[in-house]
Amino acid sequence: MTRKPIISGNWKMNLNHFEAIQTVQKLSYQLTKEDYAAVDVSVHPPFTDLRSVQTVLDVDEIPIKLGAQHCHQDEKGAFTGEISPAFLAKLSVKYVIVGHSERRELFGETDEIVSKKIDAILKQEMTPIICCGETLQEREAGETESKVLTQIRSALTKRNADVVSALVVAYEPIWAIGTGLTATSQDAQAVIGAIRAEIADLAGADAAAAVRIQYGGSVKSSNIAELMAMPDIDGALVGGASLETEEFAKIVQFRNVRS
Ligand code: PEP
């Protein structure tokens, strides 16, 4: 089974809508038809940028996929400050990050809430990018797999194989996010391999062979090729380095980068 790599830029709370327009245009000058044919590329700007970025992608016919960083689990209601998945779908958002460790740690998102958000995103026919990962303390205590696989079970139990096949999972060791530390490609492969095996148990071998699993945590142009050479790593969720268009383009073009 060949899985098309997916490389996603999580801009977090960076770049206003003017800067977002410039960034996506600059990125599009650096990416080629061959890049888009080889790799799915998504950008995940802040909510206030989405409409502007959607317009640029549309008008300039840029095949970068629009992503969001978060959404609420309900379709509408009295949730001051929150954004409905239905609103995102109306803006042609294709991918929604869910369960990012910053949302879990800073905003109290539990496995239960993450699972509800996945339901809500799927209902709007968007694709969740489901994040999982362990803290440094958990890694040092030998609890990496139990933590990550518990998150995966909670997110994926009772979903049918077709749904699971089309999902994206992002394994992001929390200690590697924004720290400059990266898991070695072998360590990332070991955890991602275990995630795929767990998915085979939950949803069957075909779904496990089809689901795309990204690595995230200080991905740069200097380490992407080595990560992508691993058999179970299908892409990257990129934070800091996605704000630099040249660097992000080089990451997307990992096929040309020597490890
Ligand atoms: C992230 O926030 O998902 C992330 C991986 O960030 P960074 O690439 O900056 O470590």
Side-chain angles (χ1 to χ4, degrees):
M1 156 87 52
T2 48
R3 297 179 293 268
K4 187 175 183 187
I6 171 163
I7 298 201
S8 305
N10 174 13
W11 294 359
K12 309 193 185 189
M13 199 171 73
N14 294 291
L15 306 180
N16 64 39
H17 72 287
F18 292 117
E19 294 163 334
I21 291 169
Q22 286 174 343
T23 301
V24 91
Q25 279 175 329
K26 268 169 71 184
L27 182 59
S28 76
Y29 301 147
Q30 282 152 20
L31 296 179
T32 64
K33 264 200 269 182
E34 290 70 34
D35 294 328
Y36 297 120
V39 179
D40 282 338
V41 183
S42 66
V43 291
H44 299 249
F47 287 136
T48 50
D49 300 357
L50 285 174
R51 179 68 174 141
S52 307
V53 174
Q54 180 209 17
T55 305
V56 177
L57 297 180
D58 249 26
V59 171
D60 294 353
E61 295 182 22
I62 300 169
I64 293 172
K65 310 272 187 350
L66 188 57
Q69 300 174 18
H70 160 67
C71 67
H72 196 265
Q73 57 272 30
D74 286 274
E75 211 166 298
K76 60 181 174 180
F79 303 106
T80 301
E82 284 293 328
I83 298 289
S84 161
F87 303 165
L88 299 178
K90 269 272 183 253
L91 287 166
S92 311
V93 165
K94 168 93 179 97
Y95 296 102
V96 186
I97 298 170
V98 58
H100 191 281
S101 58
E102 287 156 15
R103 299 289 326 171
R104 292 180 190 262
E105 293 202 329
L106 304 175
F107 301 96
E109 285 186 10
T110 60
D111 280 348
E112 197 191 350
I113 295 173
V114 168
S115 180
K116 286 187 179 154
K117 285 180 197 260
I118 295 168
D119 294 341
I121 293 162
L122 290 170
K123 189 169 170 218
Q124 297 300 328
E125 299 182 357
M126 299 181 291
T127 302
I129 297 181
I130 304 164
C131 300
C132 58
E134 82 287 2
T135 62
L136 188 56
Q137 213 181 9
E138 288 161 342
R139 170 158 286 255
E140 286 172 350
E143 292 165 1
T144 299
E145 279 197 16
S146 66
K147 166 76 178 295
V148 168
L149 299 185
T150 300
Q151 291 176 324
I152 291 295
R153 274 193 296 277
S154 166
L156 302 188
T157 300
K158 297 198 189 127
R159 300 196 188 275
N160 80 41
D162 288 348
V163 168
V164 173
S165 302
L167 298 173
V168 178
V169 171
Y171 166 57
E172 300 204 299
I174 297 168
W175 48 271
I177 295 180
T179 57
L181 301 171
T182 334
T184 65
S185 41
Q186 287 74 18
D187 284 348
Q189 165 59 33
V191 180
I192 290 177
I195 293 171
R196 203 177 293 286
E198 187 68 25
I199 295 176
D201 269 3
L202 292 168
D206 289 350
V211 66
R212 293 183 293 176
I213 310 180
Q214 299 174 314
Y215 167 78
S218 299
V219 171
K220 304 185 258 320
S221 60
S222 56
N223 56 25
I224 183 71
E226 199 190 317
L227 288 158
M228 292 302 292
M230 296 292 121
D232 285 298
I233 301 182
D234 305 317
L237 181 53
V238 185
S242 71
L243 300 171
E244 303 290 333
T245 52
E246 275 183 31
E247 177 65 2
F248 189 59
K250 278 197 209 156
I251 293 171
V252 171
Q253 292 160 340
F254 68 89
R255 308 173 320 286
N256 314 330
V257 177
R258 285 184 194 284
S259 57

